[in-house]
Amino acid sequence: MYDIHVLLPHEPGMLARFGEALGSAGVSLEGGGVFVMGGDGHAHFLVADGERARVAAQAAGLEVLGVREALVRKLDQERPGELGRIAGALGEAGVNILTMYSDHANQLILIVDDPEAGAVATKNWVP
């Protein structure tokens, strides 16, 4: 799975443009969100085909800031402190979290600066 990071100018209809472009290309959004920083929207969405998503977004005139491999993990929802444990495991491995959100199956989506080290550090949370 991949995270596509798209810059959306903060104006009405930009998220619709993104969603329609990916839908027309047959790309399903499996989770994600949009965050406004510095006047621009930063959309992060989980997709199975990162390259197809990139091409579709660019064809719609949107700026793709990156497509990165995503770590898909499952926290034990009944165990308090799970976020601290998984984030601590990444920190101890020297891995920075760049983006974090959940998918439609309530799994934790982590975009990290070192996916290989991140995968090893979080192997106990593989669904």
Side-chain angles (χ1 to χ4, degrees):
M1 298 299 284
Y2 297 89
D3 171 81
I4 182 169
H5 178 190
V6 178
L7 185 66
L8 298 176
H10 194 122
E11 55 189 67
M14 296 309 294
L15 182 59
R17 182 191 297 183
F18 173 72
E20 290 166 359
L22 270 64
S24 293
V27 177
S28 178
L29 302 176
E30 304 300 327
V34 179
F35 315 92
V36 177
M37 295 181 346
D40 288 316
H42 289 265
H44 282 270
F45 282 93
L46 186 66
V47 297
D49 189 335
E51 192 53 32
R52 179 181 277 186
R54 177 197 311 270
V55 169
Q58 288 174 332
L62 299 171
E63 183 179 354
V64 177
L65 298 179
V67 175
R68 294 177 174 260
E69 181 180 348
L71 296 177
V72 179
R73 299 296 185 254
K74 184 70 176 169
L75 301 182
D76 181 352
Q77 300 297 316
E78 301 301 318
R79 186 175 174 203
E82 278 290 272
L83 178 61
R85 280 186 273 288
I86 196 168
L90 287 164
E92 288 175 15
V95 177
N96 284 312
I97 299 170
L98 304 174
T99 304
M100 182 186 79
Y101 52 90
S102 61
D103 70 1
H104 298 152
N106 296 317
Q107 297 178 111
L108 184 67
I109 308 305
L110 294 162
I111 312 308
V112 298
D113 64 352
D114 185 342
E116 289 179 18
V120 171
T122 61
K123 67 181 183 289
N124 291 337
W125 291 273
V126 173

